[in-house]
Amino acid sequence: MKWQSIVDFRFKCGWLIFLMIFCTILLPQFVFANNLSISNVSLEDRDAGADTAVVEFDISWDNSWRNDINYDAVWVFLKVCVGGTCSPDANVAWTHGMLATAGDNPVDSAPGDNADLNIYVPVDLVGAFLYRKASGNGTMAANDVRLTLDYGASPTSAADTDQIQVKVFGIEMVYIQEGDFYIGDGDGTSESASAFHSGTGNAAVQITGALTGDIRVDVSFTGDDTQISNTGIGVDGDGGLDTDDNGTVDNADFPTGWGGFYLMKYEIGQSQYRHFLNTLTREQQFSSETNNRIAEIATAGDYAMTDGASVDYRQTLRLPDPLAGGSYPEEIGCDLDEDGVLNEYDDGGWIAMNYISWMDLCAYADWAGLRPMTELEFEKASRGPLDTVYSEFAWGTTEATDAAISGESLVNIGQVEEIAPKAGEGLSNYDSDTSTAPEGPIRVGFGANGSTNRIEAGAGYYGGMNLSDNVCEMTISLGNTTGRAFEGSHGDGVLTTTASYQGNATNDDWPGIDTTTARGVTGSGGSGIRGGSWSGYDYNMNLSARDSAAYMAVTGTRGSGWGGRLARTAM
């Protein structure tokens, strides 16, 4: 299983007679990361009457699969700039490009030259899932794939005579099928820290399509309320949450994990995040509030997420030198080797993104048309339908192999091929007390190759990578009323523009939403972290440990071990 960062790809360009569509030839930055590639993007067949245009592109990704359990997919979405000034030296926003028609293989879409490619556009028209129709595995590729852009729809709202530029982005996902699963890992005698259990015992709980009541936890490290620790709540897999444990479902829309959903195959990568930043206006990059998308701007060449002059725990995003300044957005790049030349092949673009806050994660989710995952979904994605094992990790065993032992270093440091110098059961990036390197996250999916199985690769049941290690997963908590109010809405691709609050997620059911909703998600109450990180110990990686599952309720800061991935409900 391999990964590709979100990138803005080189365009196949040309004027379309009388249609006034154009696209810009970008500098060669054709990134293949873990071998998802989107290339040869062009705009075709503008229909002035319908306010539509076809976006055509080639796509391929390695190690694709479809079997009786699940399949992988690519979430594809568009960003559009209207007018002739959409360049890094203009403070113009890239807006979200809405698709024209929803459904399974819409009539205005086409799989190109691969009849086995399925296209599904959700009803909100924010993007499309591309995946195999039939069982199989290996490289999935198609040329001349077509999606239809509705350029007249908000937020693009382009006129028929406007020039348009389009960027195509893709994120690898795994499909997690509907069905029963367990939360908690209690065996009747022992359980992981603050794990879910039934009543006052310590046995794991099965989530089914019926109401399971009185789910509780022991008091966690911080952030859980007395409802979850003393009274309990109920979870109805296909019905939502009984938030008062009174036998009545009070939040029918909470994503319990029982229904089908898609989850990012990998943690957000650093190149993915920089490409997100580089579609924002300067005000969205650098709000005057403390929860802006990058650290306050200091001097040319500073590292954007830490305000430092050098790499801090493998966080590579760097401001350019010289700065654009004025009202222009900064074109941020990766620079792991600190040589001042951004986005070189060994500059760490495929390292898991760290130093992001809950507000950062939500902004990225809204921009990409995705949503945060819940901690119930985290356990489902890791364990699948299998029985529990006390103190197990996401790969289903209690054994782990430290990816970086003292005296050994990573191979192909900073490159797309970055790997650990060893193999073993549960290969993972954590602190075993003998680690001296790499002192930060590693390339996402580093444990998997063409010959590894789930346990060797350190993968979850459905193929998600690094769920227990590398960087912590920020999730929506079941431990307090704010988290339990989440209704599972998806991002619409549009961030806030309110003065001093630019660049925030706008979903009013997401934890941290400001009561003045035009300000967006400015806090972190109702969120927490699950899984371990490069700086945590093995017990932090325990799949059911929730000692920090509501931790983000009391902090909105960025951490060197904090990252995450995002979800979308299957619809």
Side-chain angles (χ1 to χ4, degrees):
M1 287 169 277
K2 296 183 178 180
W3 167 85
Q4 157 75 10
S5 63
I6 290 182
V7 301
D8 46 301
F9 298 91
R10 292 185 297 181
F11 289 108
K12 177 181 73 180
C13 300
W15 284 93
L16 302 179
I17 304 301
F18 306 118
L19 299 186
M20 299 296 289
I21 298 178
F22 84 104
C23 43
T24 303
I25 299 291
L26 303 180
L27 294 175
Q29 49 183 342
F30 187 77
V31 182
F32 51 88
N34 286 329
N35 291 352
L36 165 65
S37 67
I38 299 174
S39 60
N40 295 326
V41 179
S42 65
L43 288 165
E44 314 281 353
D45 301 336
R46 186 165 186 169
D47 184 336
D51 290 341
T52 61
V54 171
V55 179
E56 188 172 278
F57 56 92
D58 301 340
I59 186 168
S60 68
W61 69 99
D62 287 351
N63 302 303
S64 170
W65 77 87
R66 187 181 186 107
N67 54 37
D68 293 339
I69 297 174
N70 76 324
Y71 55 88
D72 74 329
V74 176
W75 172 246
V76 173
F77 57 99
L78 312 176
K79 294 294 175 178
V80 181
C81 191
V82 179
T85 57
C86 305
S87 61
D89 58 354
N91 199 31
V92 179
W94 286 84
T95 62
H96 200 83
M98 305 297 289
L99 300 183
T101 308
D104 200 34
N105 297 307
V107 294
D108 57 3
S109 68
D113 62 2
N114 188 343
D116 189 36
L117 181 71
N118 200 82
I119 299 172
Y120 179 75
V121 179
V123 294
D124 61 7
L125 303 170
V126 171
F129 284 108
L130 277 59
Y131 50 85
R132 290 175 178 271
K133 288 182 180 178
S135 296
N137 60 78
T139 298
M140 188 66 178
N143 297 320
D144 302 326
V145 177
R146 291 164 72 88
L147 298 175
T148 297
L149 165 70
D150 183 353
Y151 64 78
S154 177
T156 301
S157 302
D160 290 326
T161 56
D162 285 333
Q163 296 175 334
I164 300 173
Q165 295 181 58
V166 177
K167 294 181 180 182
V168 178
F169 295 84
I171 303 176
E172 287 191 64
M173 313 284 285
V174 293
Y175 175 68
I176 297 171
Q177 64 183 3
E178 175 183 296
D180 299 351
F181 68 103
Y182 288 91
I183 58 174
D185 62 359
D187 59 8
T189 302
S190 302
E191 66 180 6
S192 292
S194 300
F196 290 115
H197 53 246
S198 180
T200 57
N202 63 356
V205 183
Q206 187 176 35
I207 303 301
T208 69
L211 179 64
T212 300
D214 201 15
I215 296 172
R216 305 188 195 186
V217 299
D218 294 330
V219 176
S220 73
F221 175 70
T222 186
D224 279 342
D225 60 22
T226 56
Q227 180 71 41
I228 187 70
S229 60
N230 296 340
T231 308
I233 62 169
V235 178
D236 184 344
D238 62 356
L241 294 186
D242 170 16
T243 58
D244 298 321
D245 194 29
N246 59 5
T248 301
V249 171
D250 305 295
N251 181 359
D253 296 317
F254 187 90
T256 65
W258 189 87
F261 63 98
Y262 292 88
L263 185 68
M264 287 177 63
K265 191 184 296 185
Y266 307 101
E267 296 156 329
I268 297 169
Q270 297 194 22
S271 189
Q272 284 180 301
Y273 197 80
R274 77 170 176 90
H275 283 290
F276 154 64
L277 293 175
N278 291 339
T279 64
L280 306 182
T281 64
R282 186 179 184 85
E283 292 80 13
Q284 290 174 327
Q285 290 179 336
F286 303 103
S287 166
S288 61
E289 295 297 301
T290 57
N291 63 348
N292 51 4
R293 295 292 64 81
I294 61 179
E296 288 294 339
I297 192 168
T299 58
D302 275 3
Y303 283 81
M305 305 306 295
T306 60
D307 263 349
S310 59
V311 169
D312 189 8
Y313 298 115
R314 307 199 87 206
Q315 171 48 241
T316 73
L317 299 194
R318 194 171 195 178
L319 295 165
D321 186 5
L323 296 172
S327 62
Y328 302 127
E330 300 296 343
E331 190 76 5
I332 294 158
C334 297
D335 191 18
L336 178 64
D337 60 12
E338 302 183 348
D339 66 355
V341 181
L342 306 184
N343 305 323
E344 295 174 298
Y345 191 71
D346 60 353
D347 269 336
W350 304 276
I351 296 170
M353 184 68 187
N354 58 349
Y355 279 110
I356 55 175
S357 66
W358 174 252
M359 293 77 76
D360 295 330
L361 183 75
C362 287
Y364 185 93
D366 193 0
W367 172 83
L370 301 173
R371 63 165 175 81
M373 69 170 163
T374 69
E375 58 171 322
L376 294 178
E377 291 175 316
F378 170 80
E379 294 211 28
K380 170 74 172 288
S382 301
R383 181 179 289 118
L386 303 179
D387 289 339
T388 63
V389 176
Y390 166 57
S391 75
E392 69 185 312
F393 305 121
W395 46 91
T397 78
T398 59
E399 299 299 320
T401 300
D402 189 350
I405 300 297
S406 177
E408 301 181 5
S409 62
L410 299 174
V411 179
N412 302 319
I413 293 175
Q415 301 178 23
V416 61
E417 302 92 351
E418 180 175 274
I419 57 173
K422 62 174 68 62
E425 181 172 340
L427 186 65
S428 47
N429 184 20
Y430 71 102
D431 186 353
S432 64
D433 281 332
T434 57
S435 302
T436 59
E439 286 297 303
I442 304 177
R443 174 182 66 86
V444 297
F446 67 87
N449 59 51
S451 63
T452 51
N453 59 29
R454 174 194 172 190
I455 294 175
E456 292 166 338
Y461 180 83
Y462 298 97
M465 298 299 302
N466 302 118
L467 286 158
S468 275
D469 70 304
N470 213 20
V471 291
C472 294
E473 307 286 342
M474 286 188 277
T475 62
I476 292 174
S477 180
L478 208 66
N480 53 55
T481 57
T482 305
R484 293 193 293 268
F486 177 58
E487 296 179 348
S489 70
H490 298 126
D492 62 2
V494 180
L495 303 181
T496 55
T497 57
T498 302
S500 298
Y501 294 91
Q502 297 97 330
N504 293 324
T506 60
N507 297 63
D508 59 12
D509 65 311
W510 289 9
I513 189 71
D514 196 297
T515 53
T516 306
T517 55
R519 297 176 178 177
V521 175
T522 61
S524 56
S527 64
I529 55 178
R530 296 291 301 266
S533 76
W534 66 271
S535 60
Y537 296 112
D538 54 357
Y539 58 80
N540 299 124
M541 298 197 297
N542 289 350
L543 168 53
S544 291
R546 359 177 11 271
D547 46 332
S548 297
Y551 177 69
M552 301 302 284
V554 295
T555 182
T557 58
R558 298 180 173 105
S560 64
W562 297 351
R565 74 188 77 210
L566 303 164
R568 203 171 215 279
T569 305
M571 302 170 64

